[in-house]
Amino acid sequence: MIETPYLLFLGDAPDMLAAKVAQGIRDWRPENAIGQFRMEGCKADMNLPDMTLAEAKAAGARTLVIGVANRGGVISAAWKKVLVEALEEGFDLASGLHNLLRDEPDLKAVAEATGRRLHDVRVPSVQYPIANGEKRTGKRCLAVGTDCSVGKMYTAMAMDRDMKQRGLKSSFRATGQTGILITGEGVPLDAVIADFMAGSVEWLTPGNDPDHWDMIEGQGSLFHVSYSGVTMALIHGGQPDALILSHEPTREHMRGLPGYKLPSLEMLRDTALPLARVANPACEVVGVSVNTQHMGEDEAQSYLAEVEARMGLPATDPYRFGAAKLVDALVALG
Amino acid sequence: MIETPYLLFLGDAPDMLAAKVAQGIRDWRPENAIGQFRMEGCKADMNLPDMTLAEAKAAGARTLVIGVANRGGVISAAWKKVLVEALEEGFDLASGLHNLLRDEPDLKAVAEATGRRLHDVRVPSVQYPIANGEKRTGKRCLAVGTDCSVGKMYTAMAMDRDMKQRGLKSSFRATGQTGILITGEGVPLDAVIADFMAGSVEWLTPGNDPDHWDMIEGQGSLFHVSYSGVTMALIHGGQPDALILSHEPTREHMRGLPGYKLPSLEMLRDTALPLARVANPACEVVGVSVNTQHMGEDEAQSYLAEVEARMGLPATDPYRFGAAKLVDALVALG
């Protein structure tokens, strides 16, 4: 578990896109983001107070989170200077970079000398069990996508926020690097060893109050040949009571796979639901989440209306138009 | 790649069942098994010549393969004595044990001093790529099961043998510890990191002659919640042209999951085939392989006849009655 609140390290981000981890934290857990640390030339801005390490420390920040992608696969000398200073100032460090903090001898040595922790959220820190398939108490919701990167995490985040605003019991359960950095805990599922994937999801979503919902972050897609095994493990390890179908209508082929067309929402429903019912016979598809970022407002609204009519399910873009419809559907499930 | 031929180490096996790795090698690659090494009290016998290390060395053996399970999760002092001597005599060691040979300081030191290799086939030795989903030349066949441990490996082995006897081009592709020890190479799929599972299967079954068949060893089951992700990665990474449905009719529940019933062969077909067609639209289900070991001869034959009539597919127990029917079906596919 990563200690909050955070100071967000934006480094020398060349643009906003490079700082999407910081953006996720700012959007979904603003209470975790006390300020931002920007180096010379930084082109990203989270509209948070710019702080020095000392100022952030005084304001109560516990962890410096690397909220930006690094260039060229190395942690630069300029970054290093800040990271070492942060450890000396008493911050833990947290990172989702492919280059692990722990693999940098200087960071490792300073962390040991100062008693600070290096959180590399890309690699598991837990010995997960093999899944036992036993029915757990409490409820679980999982978004499954026609493709990767269609908004499954944002859907779960938006539903979790809406649930909490209604005073309902909900926990967002992170299964990827960004989600883990946003919430401070979770399972880096794509880095888990095959035999333990479903078990890690069981571990992440343990038995809970009967009226508590886990909003599980989805990964991959049953139709994406590179990552479908990860999705399968989420469906069986998560034993969801409710599935949300997630889609991005303007995509011309599966992400990174030019020869592969996206399936229809009907195909996704008819594939995912029977598989989910292996682990939870009561599972239902309750709604559709559409990523409309590449559509105008009218186009988006008419697309959603068409989907609702065709699928007989509530459909929304939870980031753009709110998640209320999807949460209503969960509540109706009882 | 493990160097052949082997001397099979049976240790102090309490019974034949404990030596099933040795049995697999003896059954499927007898040309790889020059002899057996038995310690005092060994209750297993492969009907191979008993040899000392020196005799086996003189007969040309290159690797001592641990063909027996160890008791209590430790490599005993009595075993160690033999293993160290084998390294000194010039043998490589190969093992599928959970305890890795490389984690034993004495074995590691002697192997380094003698220049011998320690093959721990339970852990990957290759950095696998992420699957790219590109169509490969050549043909591939995969057995998918209603459950784990229903005879998928034996089905692929038996089909591979029959293909070779007919002069057809075929390679058995091992994806588990036993298969890797039998053939000397493969991918330990259950130990591969999630993101690279499908890519490891692509790596294992590369482009080949148009009339060459890879007989891919199946793993897990789409209906086994602990391991379904591994099966999914095999189906998408292997992009099979042909699926064989594998079943064990006397099993009362999914292996290790008392609350879970086995699916019907029809459910398996209707679930696996659409998923396989995501990666290979030309995929067909060509036959059924039934593990009849717990059935009498008449019972087995009448069960197979019933399955053939019901499914409209050739059905056999390839271990008991031969794989010819299944190979005929592959050949008919063209």
Side-chain angles (χ1 to χ4, degrees):
Chain A
M1 186 132 184
I2 305 168
E3 290 198 55
T4 55
Y6 304 151
L7 174 64
L8 302 184
F9 176 76
L10 306 186
D12 43 7
D15 50 37
M16 280 297 275
L17 203 63
K20 72 173 185 165
V21 167
Q23 226 169 330
I25 297 169
R26 194 265 327 263
D27 286 350
W28 296 110
R29 289 290 184 275
E31 69 275 21
N32 284 353
I34 260 186
Q36 62 188 15
F37 185 100
R38 299 194 294 166
M39 290 164 51
E40 208 178 297
C42 181
K43 301 282 199 307
D45 185 356
M46 299 299 132
N47 293 315
L48 292 168
D50 283 296
M51 291 183 173
T52 64
L53 294 169
E55 286 165 352
K57 190 73 194 162
R62 310 289 294 268
T63 303
L64 181 74
V65 173
I66 300 183
V68 56
N70 58 339
R71 279 180 280 194
V74 293
I75 299 178
S76 70
W79 282 30
K80 275 281 184 68
K81 188 157 171 286
V82 180
L83 301 183
V84 166
E85 270 181 44
L87 290 168
E88 301 279 6
E89 286 279 352
F91 288 89
D92 291 341
L93 302 182
S95 159
L97 301 178
H98 278 287
N99 317 57
L100 304 187
L101 300 175
R102 70 182 70 163
D103 289 344
E104 303 291 323
D106 44 357
L107 295 182
K108 189 157 183 267
V110 177
E112 274 166 16
T114 56
R116 305 320 316 165
R117 294 203 296 167
L118 303 178
H119 297 281
D120 286 303
V121 304
R122 229 164 239 286
V123 289
S125 53
V126 172
Q127 181 82 22
Y128 302 113
I130 286 178
N132 63 28
E134 286 169 21
K135 180 73 187 157
R136 308 190 289 290
T137 50
K139 303 261 186 192
R140 285 154 201 90
C141 176
L142 174 69
V144 290
T146 52
D147 193 3
C148 300
S149 310
V150 291
K152 297 183 299 292
M153 183 185 83
Y154 269 45
T155 299
M157 284 284 193
M159 290 179 72
D160 174 59
R161 175 184 289 173
D162 192 283
M163 298 274 288
K164 288 186 169 117
Q165 283 167 350
R166 297 187 194 196
L168 299 172
K169 297 179 192 168
S170 169
S171 303
F172 172 82
R173 299 300 190 184
T175 62
Q177 285 76 28
T178 306
I180 296 171
L181 286 174
I182 292 174
T183 58
E185 59 189 342
V187 167
L189 189 56
D190 62 9
V192 172
I193 288 189
D195 252 3
F196 304 98
M197 292 187 299
S200 75
V201 181
E202 289 189 349
W203 175 92
L204 181 68
T205 60
N208 212 318
D209 298 345
D211 58 344
H212 176 277
W213 282 88
D214 277 330
M215 307 303 309
I216 307 173
E217 181 189 354
Q219 293 292 338
S221 164
L222 288 172
F223 293 86
H224 195 294
V225 296
S226 312
Y227 308 116
S228 52
V230 180
T231 313
M232 186 75 261
L234 266 168
I235 291 173
H236 281 168
Q239 53 184 230
D241 301 273
L243 293 177
I244 306 284
L245 309 179
S246 294
H247 187 50
E248 202 281 73
T250 69
R251 203 166 286 182
E252 289 179 357
H253 60 75
M254 298 293 285
R255 191 176 160 95
L257 303 176
Y260 289 79
K261 294 268 173 239
L262 272 72
S264 64
L265 284 164
E266 288 88 342
M267 280 179 69
L268 175 61
R269 175 195 64 202
D270 295 344
T271 303
L273 187 58
L275 288 168
R277 286 183 172 166
V278 170
N280 185 348
C283 185
E284 297 287 350
V285 173
V286 300
V288 182
S289 139
V290 181
N291 178 343
T292 64
Q293 66 176 323
H294 299 300
M295 302 170 104
E297 171 98 15
D298 290 352
E299 190 188 4
Q301 292 287 13
S302 75
Y303 182 84
L304 290 170
E306 186 269 317
V307 167
E308 291 199 337
R310 177 158 57 92
M311 303 291 294
L313 290 168
T316 186
D317 180 333
Y319 189 65
R320 189 173 190 173
F321 304 121
K325 275 187 184 184
L326 301 177
V327 172
D328 290 346
L330 272 199
V331 171
L333 208 60
Chain B
M1 184 133 187
I2 305 169
E3 290 198 54
T4 55
Y6 304 152
L7 174 64
L8 302 184
F9 176 76
L10 306 186
D12 43 7
D15 51 36
M16 280 296 275
L17 203 64
K20 71 173 187 165
V21 167
Q23 225 168 331
I25 296 170
R26 194 267 325 265
D27 286 350
W28 296 109
R29 290 288 185 276
E31 69 276 20
N32 285 354
I34 261 186
Q36 62 187 13
F37 185 101
R38 299 195 294 166
M39 290 163 52
E40 208 176 298
C42 181
K43 299 283 198 310
D45 185 356
M46 298 299 132
N47 293 315
L48 291 169
D50 282 296
M51 291 184 175
T52 64
L53 294 169
E55 286 165 353
K57 190 73 194 163
R62 310 289 295 268
T63 303
L64 182 74
V65 173
I66 299 183
V68 56
N70 57 339
R71 280 181 278 195
V74 292
I75 299 178
S76 71
W79 282 29
K80 275 283 184 68
K81 189 157 169 287
V82 180
L83 301 183
V84 167
E85 269 181 43
L87 290 168
E88 301 278 5
E89 286 278 352
F91 288 88
D92 291 341
L93 302 182
S95 159
L97 301 177
H98 278 287
N99 317 57
L100 304 187
L101 299 176
R102 71 183 69 164
D103 289 345
E104 303 291 323
D106 43 358
L107 295 182
K108 189 157 183 266
V110 177
E112 274 166 16
T114 56
R116 306 319 315 164
R117 294 202 296 167
L118 303 178
H119 297 281
D120 287 302
V121 304
R122 231 166 235 285
V123 289
S125 54
V126 171
Q127 181 82 22
Y128 302 113
I130 287 178
N132 63 30
E134 286 170 20
K135 179 73 187 156
R136 306 190 290 290
T137 50
K139 303 262 186 191
R140 286 156 200 88
C141 176
L142 174 69
V144 291
T146 52
D147 193 2
C148 301
S149 311
V150 291
K152 297 183 299 293
M153 184 185 82
Y154 269 45
T155 299
M157 284 285 193
M159 290 179 72
D160 174 58
R161 175 184 288 175
D162 193 282
M163 299 275 288
K164 288 187 169 116
Q165 283 166 349
R166 298 187 195 195
L168 300 173
K169 296 180 193 169
S170 169
S171 304
F172 173 82
R173 300 299 190 185
T175 62
Q177 285 75 28
T178 306
I180 295 171
L181 286 174
I182 291 174
T183 58
E185 58 189 341
V187 167
L189 188 57
D190 62 9
V192 172
I193 291 197
D195 251 3
F196 304 98
M197 292 187 298
S200 76
V201 182
E202 290 189 347
W203 176 92
L204 181 68
T205 60
N208 212 318
D209 298 344
D211 58 343
H212 176 277
W213 281 89
D214 277 330
M215 307 303 309
I216 308 173
E217 181 189 355
Q219 294 293 338
S221 164
L222 288 171
F223 294 85
H224 195 294
V225 297
S226 311
Y227 308 116
S228 52
V230 180
T231 312
M232 187 73 260
L234 266 168
I235 291 173
H236 281 166
Q239 53 184 229
D241 301 273
L243 294 177
I244 307 284
L245 309 179
S246 295
H247 187 50
E248 203 279 74
T250 69
R251 203 165 286 181
E252 289 179 358
H253 61 73
M254 298 293 285
R255 191 176 160 93
L257 303 175
Y260 288 80
K261 294 268 173 242
L262 272 71
S264 64
L265 284 165
E266 288 87 343
M267 280 179 70
L268 175 60
R269 175 195 64 202
D270 296 343
T271 304
L273 187 57
L275 288 168
R277 286 183 172 166
V278 170
N280 184 349
C283 185
E284 297 288 351
V285 173
V286 300
V288 181
S289 138
V290 182
N291 178 343
T292 64
Q293 67 177 322
H294 299 300
M295 302 170 105
E297 171 98 14
D298 290 352
E299 190 187 4
Q301 292 287 14
S302 75
Y303 183 83
L304 291 170
E306 186 269 316
V307 167
E308 291 200 336
R310 178 158 56 92
M311 303 292 293
L313 291 168
T316 186
D317 180 333
Y319 190 65
R320 189 173 190 173
F321 303 122
K325 275 187 184 183
L326 301 177
V327 172
D328 291 345
L330 272 199
V331 171
L333 208 60

PDB file of all heavy atoms in Angstrom, chain A residues 10-14 37-43 71 78-79 82:
ATOM      1  N   LEU A  10       5.850  15.625 -12.382  1.00  0.00           N
ATOM      2  CA  LEU A  10       5.559  15.727 -13.820  1.00  0.00           C
ATOM      3  C   LEU A  10       6.831  15.830 -14.646  1.00  0.00           C
ATOM      4  O   LEU A  10       6.783  15.806 -15.877  1.00  0.00           O
ATOM      5  CB  LEU A  10       4.674  16.950 -14.100  1.00  0.00           C
ATOM      6  CG  LEU A  10       3.373  17.035 -13.296  1.00  0.00           C
ATOM      7  CD1 LEU A  10       2.538  18.223 -13.788  1.00  0.00           C
ATOM      8  CD2 LEU A  10       2.563  15.756 -13.412  1.00  0.00           C
ATOM      9  N   GLY A  11       7.964  15.978 -13.977  1.00  0.00           N
ATOM     10  CA  GLY A  11       9.258  15.992 -14.669  1.00  0.00           C
ATOM     11  C   GLY A  11       9.312  17.026 -15.761  1.00  0.00           C
ATOM     12  O   GLY A  11       8.848  18.161 -15.591  1.00  0.00           O
ATOM     13  N   ASP A  12       9.868  16.616 -16.898  1.00  0.00           N
ATOM     14  CA  ASP A  12       9.973  17.490 -18.069  1.00  0.00           C
ATOM     15  C   ASP A  12       9.017  16.993 -19.151  1.00  0.00           C
ATOM     16  O   ASP A  12       9.370  16.904 -20.330  1.00  0.00           O
ATOM     17  CB  ASP A  12      11.416  17.523 -18.587  1.00  0.00           C
ATOM     18  CG  ASP A  12      12.047  16.131 -18.606  1.00  0.00           C
ATOM     19  OD1 ASP A  12      11.323  15.122 -18.355  1.00  0.00           O
ATOM     20  OD2 ASP A  12      13.254  16.027 -18.866  1.00  0.00           O
ATOM     21  N   ALA A  13       7.791  16.635 -18.748  1.00  0.00           N
ATOM     22  CA  ALA A  13       6.787  16.072 -19.663  1.00  0.00           C
ATOM     23  C   ALA A  13       6.672  16.928 -20.923  1.00  0.00           C
ATOM     24  O   ALA A  13       6.451  18.139 -20.819  1.00  0.00           O
ATOM     25  CB  ALA A  13       5.436  15.974 -18.963  1.00  0.00           C
ATOM     26  N   PRO A  14       6.787  16.316 -22.108  1.00  0.00           N
ATOM     27  CA  PRO A  14       6.729  17.088 -23.353  1.00  0.00           C
ATOM     28  C   PRO A  14       5.309  17.562 -23.684  1.00  0.00           C
ATOM     29  O   PRO A  14       5.125  18.486 -24.456  1.00  0.00           O
ATOM     30  CB  PRO A  14       7.226  16.108 -24.411  1.00  0.00           C
ATOM     31  CG  PRO A  14       6.950  14.745 -23.841  1.00  0.00           C
ATOM     32  CD  PRO A  14       7.071  14.897 -22.348  1.00  0.00           C
ATOM     33  N   PHE A  37       5.062  18.723  -9.008  1.00  0.00           N
ATOM     34  CA  PHE A  37       6.469  19.114  -9.087  1.00  0.00           C
ATOM     35  C   PHE A  37       6.855  19.114 -10.559  1.00  0.00           C
ATOM     36  O   PHE A  37       6.829  18.075 -11.206  1.00  0.00           O
ATOM     37  CB  PHE A  37       7.352  18.130  -8.312  1.00  0.00           C
ATOM     38  CG  PHE A  37       8.797  18.539  -8.258  1.00  0.00           C
ATOM     39  CD1 PHE A  37       9.324  19.153  -7.130  1.00  0.00           C
ATOM     40  CD2 PHE A  37       9.643  18.325  -9.354  1.00  0.00           C
ATOM     41  CE1 PHE A  37      10.656  19.543  -7.083  1.00  0.00           C
ATOM     42  CE2 PHE A  37      10.972  18.724  -9.313  1.00  0.00           C
ATOM     43  CZ  PHE A  37      11.478  19.337  -8.171  1.00  0.00           C
ATOM     44  N   ARG A  38       7.174  20.304 -11.072  1.00  0.00           N
ATOM     45  CA  ARG A  38       7.525  20.394 -12.496  1.00  0.00           C
ATOM     46  C   ARG A  38       8.958  20.855 -12.667  1.00  0.00           C
ATOM     47  O   ARG A  38       9.407  21.779 -11.978  1.00  0.00           O
ATOM     48  CB  ARG A  38       6.558  21.360 -13.195  1.00  0.00           C
ATOM     49  CG  ARG A  38       5.127  20.865 -13.086  1.00  0.00           C
ATOM     50  CD  ARG A  38       4.206  21.584 -14.027  1.00  0.00           C
ATOM     51  NE  ARG A  38       4.059  22.999 -13.680  1.00  0.00           N
ATOM     52  CZ  ARG A  38       3.522  23.899 -14.495  1.00  0.00           C
ATOM     53  NH1 ARG A  38       3.106  23.547 -15.707  1.00  0.00           N
ATOM     54  NH2 ARG A  38       3.406  25.150 -14.106  1.00  0.00           N
ATOM     55  N   MET A  39       9.664  20.226 -13.605  1.00  0.00           N
ATOM     56  CA  MET A  39      11.024  20.629 -13.916  1.00  0.00           C
ATOM     57  C   MET A  39      10.989  21.631 -15.067  1.00  0.00           C
ATOM     58  O   MET A  39       9.957  21.836 -15.711  1.00  0.00           O
ATOM     59  CB  MET A  39      11.863  19.400 -14.296  1.00  0.00           C
ATOM     60  CG  MET A  39      12.129  18.480 -13.109  1.00  0.00           C
ATOM     61  SD  MET A  39      12.698  16.813 -13.589  1.00  0.00           S
ATOM     62  CE  MET A  39      14.040  17.222 -14.687  1.00  0.00           C
ATOM     63  N   GLU A  40      12.160  22.223 -15.321  1.00  0.00           N
ATOM     64  CA  GLU A  40      12.244  23.190 -16.415  1.00  0.00           C
ATOM     65  C   GLU A  40      11.818  22.536 -17.729  1.00  0.00           C
ATOM     66  O   GLU A  40      12.211  21.401 -18.009  1.00  0.00           O
ATOM     67  CB  GLU A  40      13.690  23.695 -16.515  1.00  0.00           C
ATOM     68  CG  GLU A  40      13.772  25.092 -17.080  1.00  0.00           C
ATOM     69  CD  GLU A  40      15.221  25.567 -17.109  1.00  0.00           C
ATOM     70  OE1 GLU A  40      15.815  25.686 -16.009  1.00  0.00           O
ATOM     71  OE2 GLU A  40      15.752  25.778 -18.224  1.00  0.00           O
ATOM     72  N   GLY A  41      10.997  23.214 -18.488  1.00  0.00           N
ATOM     73  CA  GLY A  41      10.575  22.706 -19.796  1.00  0.00           C
ATOM     74  C   GLY A  41       9.341  21.837 -19.728  1.00  0.00           C
ATOM     75  O   GLY A  41       8.885  21.324 -20.738  1.00  0.00           O
ATOM     76  N   CYS A  42       8.778  21.653 -18.551  1.00  0.00           N
ATOM     77  CA  CYS A  42       7.595  20.789 -18.416  1.00  0.00           C
ATOM     78  C   CYS A  42       6.402  21.424 -19.125  1.00  0.00           C
ATOM     79  O   CYS A  42       6.073  22.585 -18.893  1.00  0.00           O
ATOM     80  CB  CYS A  42       7.281  20.585 -16.938  1.00  0.00           C
ATOM     81  SG  CYS A  42       5.853  19.498 -16.676  1.00  0.00           S
ATOM     82  N   LYS A  43       5.762  20.636 -20.010  1.00  0.00           N
ATOM     83  CA  LYS A  43       4.623  21.157 -20.776  1.00  0.00           C
ATOM     84  C   LYS A  43       3.283  20.627 -20.239  1.00  0.00           C
ATOM     85  O   LYS A  43       2.243  20.886 -20.828  1.00  0.00           O
ATOM     86  CB  LYS A  43       4.755  20.766 -22.248  1.00  0.00           C
ATOM     87  CG  LYS A  43       6.013  21.260 -22.943  1.00  0.00           C
ATOM     88  CD  LYS A  43       5.912  22.741 -23.317  1.00  0.00           C
ATOM     89  CE  LYS A  43       6.925  23.132 -24.394  1.00  0.00           C
ATOM     90  NZ  LYS A  43       8.324  22.765 -24.060  1.00  0.00           N
ATOM     91  N   ARG A  71      11.281   9.112 -21.216  1.00  0.00           N
ATOM     92  CA  ARG A  71      11.647   9.020 -22.627  1.00  0.00           C
ATOM     93  C   ARG A  71      12.849   8.105 -22.801  1.00  0.00           C
ATOM     94  O   ARG A  71      13.775   8.124 -21.993  1.00  0.00           O
ATOM     95  CB  ARG A  71      11.976  10.419 -23.163  1.00  0.00           C
ATOM     96  CG  ARG A  71      10.708  11.181 -23.501  1.00  0.00           C
ATOM     97  CD  ARG A  71      11.009  12.550 -24.034  1.00  0.00           C
ATOM     98  NE  ARG A  71      11.305  13.485 -22.954  1.00  0.00           N
ATOM     99  CZ  ARG A  71      11.336  14.806 -23.119  1.00  0.00           C
ATOM    100  NH1 ARG A  71      11.101  15.324 -24.316  1.00  0.00           N
ATOM    101  NH2 ARG A  71      11.606  15.604 -22.102  1.00  0.00           N
ATOM    102  N   ALA A  78      18.633  14.104 -14.772  1.00  0.00           N
ATOM    103  CA  ALA A  78      17.870  15.232 -14.225  1.00  0.00           C
ATOM    104  C   ALA A  78      16.752  14.731 -13.303  1.00  0.00           C
ATOM    105  O   ALA A  78      16.519  15.292 -12.229  1.00  0.00           O
ATOM    106  CB  ALA A  78      17.284  16.060 -15.376  1.00  0.00           C
ATOM    107  N   TRP A  79      16.066  13.672 -13.719  1.00  0.00           N
ATOM    108  CA  TRP A  79      15.049  13.065 -12.853  1.00  0.00           C
ATOM    109  C   TRP A  79      15.692  12.540 -11.569  1.00  0.00           C
ATOM    110  O   TRP A  79      15.154  12.725 -10.474  1.00  0.00           O
ATOM    111  CB  TRP A  79      14.361  11.894 -13.562  1.00  0.00           C
ATOM    112  CG  TRP A  79      13.319  12.252 -14.571  1.00  0.00           C
ATOM    113  CD1 TRP A  79      13.258  13.378 -15.354  1.00  0.00           C
ATOM    114  CD2 TRP A  79      12.185  11.443 -14.918  1.00  0.00           C
ATOM    115  NE1 TRP A  79      12.163  13.319 -16.164  1.00  0.00           N
ATOM    116  CE2 TRP A  79      11.483  12.150 -15.928  1.00  0.00           C
ATOM    117  CE3 TRP A  79      11.705  10.210 -14.501  1.00  0.00           C
ATOM    118  CZ2 TRP A  79      10.314  11.641 -16.503  1.00  0.00           C
ATOM    119  CZ3 TRP A  79      10.552   9.707 -15.078  1.00  0.00           C
ATOM    120  CH2 TRP A  79       9.856  10.414 -16.069  1.00  0.00           C
ATOM    121  N   VAL A  82      16.182  14.811  -8.651  1.00  0.00           N
ATOM    122  CA  VAL A  82      14.956  15.091  -7.885  1.00  0.00           C
ATOM    123  C   VAL A  82      14.563  13.879  -7.035  1.00  0.00           C
ATOM    124  O   VAL A  82      14.201  14.020  -5.854  1.00  0.00           O
ATOM    125  CB  VAL A  82      13.790  15.465  -8.834  1.00  0.00           C
ATOM    126  CG1 VAL A  82      12.521  15.742  -8.029  1.00  0.00           C
ATOM    127  CG2 VAL A  82      14.164  16.652  -9.713  1.00  0.00           C
TER     128      VAL A  82
END
